[in-house]
Amino acid sequence: MAVRLFDHPFDPWALVRERERQLPLERLGACSVFAGRMRDFNEAEDIRAMFLEHYPGMTERELERIVAEAEARWPSITCEVAHRVGAVDPSETLVLVAVWSAHRVAARDACAEILERLKHEAPFWKRERLTDGTERWVEQNTPGH
Amino acid sequence: MAVRLFDHPFDPWALVRERERQLPLERLGACSVFAGRMRDFNEAEDIRAMFLEHYPGMTERELERIVAEAEARWPSITCEVAHRVGAVDPSETLVLVAVWSAHRVAARDACAEILERLKHEAPFWKRERLTDGTERWVEQNTPGH
Amino acid sequence: MTITVQYFARLREDLGRERDEVAATGELQTVGDLWRHLHGDPPARLMAAVNQAHARLDTPVADGDEVAFFPPVTGG
Amino acid sequence: MTITVQYFARLREDLGRERDEVAATGELQTVGDLWRHLHGDPPARLMAAVNQAHARLDTPVADGDEVAFFPPVTGG
C-alpha cells in the first residue's frame, strides 16, 4: 500500500512507472488506473482555480483504511493512491488510483471501489474560484455507481 | 481515436503521457487506463515466453471498429489503444486501453467495454511456451463481466 | 479536561471559527449532544469524526477526544 | 474467379496450410458452404470473417471475397 498527498503538481504516469519498478509485473497481469484532473468548468460555470481543503491526519488515515479494506476484499491486489491538496490549477491531476492484480476483474473493480469510497469518505473539500472572481464550495460529489 | 500495433516492447505510460500532451485535459476530468502484461504463469503452469499471432489488416479494422462503437455510445470520450504482436517476454505490456472523458463513469465504463470487446473480437491468438519447452495455444479468454 | 471540536470547509466559514474547546461533562455523551450543546439542532447532511475516524450523531464521546464536524466531502 | 480462404492459429496448424483458393461457383453461397466444401462439418466454436469483418456460417460469400477461419480469439 502507498498513499501520498501532494501540495504541488505531480505526474501520475511517472508515479505509476516508479511504483512498477518495484513490482513483480510478471505476476501482476492487470493494472487499472484512474487519474482525475481539475476541469475548467463545473455545472455550466467556468472555473479559474480551486483550493482543496483537507483534514490533516484524518485524510491519510482514511485513505489507508480505504485501501486496506480493498486489499482485504481483493487479497491479490497492490495499490497506489495519490491526492493533491491546496491550490490547484485547471488540467492538474487531483487524484490517482492505481491497482495491480493477477486478473483484470479484481484490478478494475478495486480501482473503481477505491475511487468511489475516496470521493465519499476521505475528508477533502473543493472550493472553486470562478472566472468572475466569486468563490463557492462544491456541495457534493456526483454518484459514480 | 488512435490504434497502434507494436512488434517490440512499448512503455504504456509514455504512450499515455505523449497522447495527453495533445489533449485538452482541462476539459477531460477523467482518465481510465488498463494495462495488461504477460504473466509468467497461466492455469498453474510456468510460462517462459509467448507468441501473439494476429490477422494483419483485420486486426487494425477491428480495433478501430471497437473504438468507434465506444465513441458512438459515449460521445464525450477520447481513446488510445495499443497492442503487442509477435514474440513477447514475461512482464512486457500486451495491451493498453486509455479513455479520457469529462466524467469518470463514461471513462471507466468505456475502458472496460473496449477491453472486453478487444479480448473477444479482435483477431489475436496467444501461443505459450512453457518452461519445459512445450508449446500450447491459449484456448479462450476468461470472461471479464 | 476537555473535548476539542474542529470545523472544516463551509461549516468553518459559516461558524466563523476553526475550533471549540468544550469541558467534558456527564451530559455530553455523544457527538450529537456535543453539536446540540454548541449550536442547537444539527443541519441536514452534517458529517462528523471522532479521533479522525468517521462517526455518527450517536457515537459516544469521551474526555480528551478530538471531534470534527464537516459538510459532505468532495475530494477525488 | 476465386475466393481466398485463410486460416489462423491452431486451425492453420491443424490443417497444415495457411490458405486455400476456391473457385467461386453457384453452390458456394455462404461461409458455411465454403467450409463444408473444403473440410466437411464445421467444428464447434469456429470463427470466420469475410473481407476482414466478422461473419457467421450463414454470411453470404461472393467472387473475390477474402474469407478467414480461426479459433476463438485470445488477445488482450
Side-chain angles (χ1 to χ4, degrees):
Chain A
M1 181 198 311
V3 160
R4 299 200 238 183
L5 297 181
F6 288 91
D7 61 3
H8 54 82
F10 69 97
D11 176 343
W13 314 119
L15 222 61
V16 168
R17 189 156 45 182
E18 180 189 314
R19 181 68 186 278
E20 287 195 335
R21 276 200 274 268
Q22 303 149 24
L23 294 179
L25 289 186
E26 69 285 356
R27 288 193 277 125
L28 299 168
C31 175
S32 207
V33 181
F34 180 86
R37 270 60 178 258
M38 187 192 148
R39 291 177 310 192
D40 63 2
F41 65 93
N42 187 23
E43 295 177 9
E45 302 261 25
D46 292 331
I47 312 297
R48 176 170 296 164
M50 177 184 283
F51 188 88
L52 259 166
E53 181 169 332
H54 77 297
Y55 182 173
M58 181 172 172
T59 306
E60 295 85 339
R61 289 174 60 138
E62 274 294 295
L63 295 178
E64 286 170 8
R65 179 184 65 80
I66 289 166
V67 170
E69 290 180 18
E71 289 174 346
R73 182 165 166 194
W74 292 279
S76 70
I77 65 172
T78 297
C79 304
E80 174 92 19
V81 174
H83 206 289
R84 275 291 290 281
V85 297
V88 185
D89 287 324
S91 92
E92 292 178 358
T93 302
L94 295 172
V95 61
L96 169 75
V97 178
V99 179
W100 293 264
S101 174
H103 301 287
R104 71 189 185 281
V105 179
R108 178 198 297 159
D109 290 354
C111 185
E113 174 76 5
I114 289 169
L115 181 68
E116 292 312 311
R117 295 194 60 183
L118 181 156
K119 281 180 169 277
H120 294 99
E121 298 172 17
F124 296 102
W125 301 273
K126 292 187 179 114
R127 184 175 173 83
E128 296 172 334
R129 194 169 78 242
L130 308 189
T131 48
D132 67 6
T134 60
E135 300 196 358
R136 66 181 183 192
W137 291 98
V138 175
E139 292 296 330
Q140 61 183 336
N141 274 327
T142 53
H145 58 206
Chain B
M1 183 198 308
V3 160
R4 300 201 237 182
L5 297 182
F6 289 91
D7 62 3
H8 54 84
F10 69 96
D11 176 343
W13 314 120
L15 221 62
V16 168
R17 189 157 43 182
E18 180 189 314
R19 181 69 186 278
E20 287 195 334
R21 274 199 277 266
Q22 303 149 23
L23 295 179
L25 289 186
E26 69 283 358
R27 288 193 276 126
L28 299 167
C31 174
S32 208
V33 181
F34 180 86
R37 270 60 179 257
M38 187 191 147
R39 291 175 312 190
D40 64 1
F41 66 93
N42 187 22
E43 294 177 8
E45 303 259 26
D46 292 332
I47 313 295
R48 176 170 296 165
M50 178 184 283
F51 188 88
L52 258 166
E53 182 169 332
H54 75 298
Y55 182 173
M58 180 171 173
T59 307
E60 295 85 338
R61 288 173 60 137
E62 273 295 295
L63 294 178
E64 286 170 8
R65 179 184 63 81
I66 290 166
V67 170
E69 290 180 18
E71 289 175 346
R73 181 164 166 195
W74 292 280
S76 70
I77 65 173
T78 297
C79 303
E80 174 92 20
V81 174
H83 206 289
R84 274 293 289 281
V85 297
V88 186
D89 288 324
S91 91
E92 292 178 357
T93 302
L94 295 173
V95 61
L96 169 74
V97 177
V99 179
W100 292 264
S101 173
H103 300 286
R104 70 189 186 280
V105 179
R108 178 198 297 158
D109 290 353
C111 185
E113 175 75 5
I114 289 169
L115 181 68
E116 293 311 311
R117 296 194 59 184
L118 182 156
K119 281 180 169 275
H120 294 98
E121 298 171 18
F124 296 102
W125 300 274
K126 292 188 179 114
R127 184 176 173 82
E128 297 172 333
R129 192 166 83 243
L130 308 187
T131 47
D132 67 7
T134 59
E135 299 195 358
R136 67 181 183 192
W137 292 99
V138 175
E139 294 295 331
Q140 61 182 333
N141 274 328
T142 52
H145 55 206
Chain C
M1 301 293 281
T2 59
I3 296 170
T4 310
V5 182
Q6 298 185 57
Y7 308 108
F8 290 94
R10 175 196 286 278
L11 203 55
R12 174 176 43 71
E13 286 192 349
D14 289 350
L15 294 170
R17 58 188 187 273
E18 290 187 5
R19 58 169 58 221
D20 281 310
E21 303 281 335
V22 180
T25 70
E27 280 91 70
L28 297 177
Q29 300 214 329
T30 67
V31 168
D33 293 342
L34 201 55
W35 179 273
R36 279 182 290 268
H37 170 74
L38 289 160
H39 311 292
D41 283 339
R45 300 161 69 227
L46 179 66
M47 294 181 74
V50 174
N51 298 328
Q52 305 189 348
H54 284 290
R56 305 188 314 177
L57 291 180
D58 62 1
T59 300
V61 292
D63 189 21
D65 278 351
E66 172 182 323
V67 177
F69 292 105
F70 42 85
V73 301
T74 56
Chain D
M1 300 292 282
T2 59
I3 296 169
T4 310
V5 182
Q6 299 185 58
Y7 308 109
F8 289 94
R10 176 197 284 279
L11 203 54
R12 174 176 45 71
E13 286 191 350
D14 289 350
L15 294 171
R17 59 188 186 275
E18 290 188 4
R19 57 170 58 218
D20 282 313
E21 304 281 337
V22 180
T25 70
E27 279 92 70
L28 297 177
Q29 300 215 326
T30 67
V31 169
D33 293 343
L34 200 57
W35 179 273
R36 279 183 290 269
H37 171 72
L38 288 160
H39 311 292
D41 282 340
R45 300 162 70 227
L46 179 66
M47 292 181 76
V50 174
N51 298 330
Q52 305 189 352
H54 284 289
R56 306 186 315 175
L57 291 180
D58 62 1
T59 300
V61 292
D63 188 21
D65 277 353
E66 171 182 324
V67 177
F69 292 106
F70 42 84
V73 300
T74 56

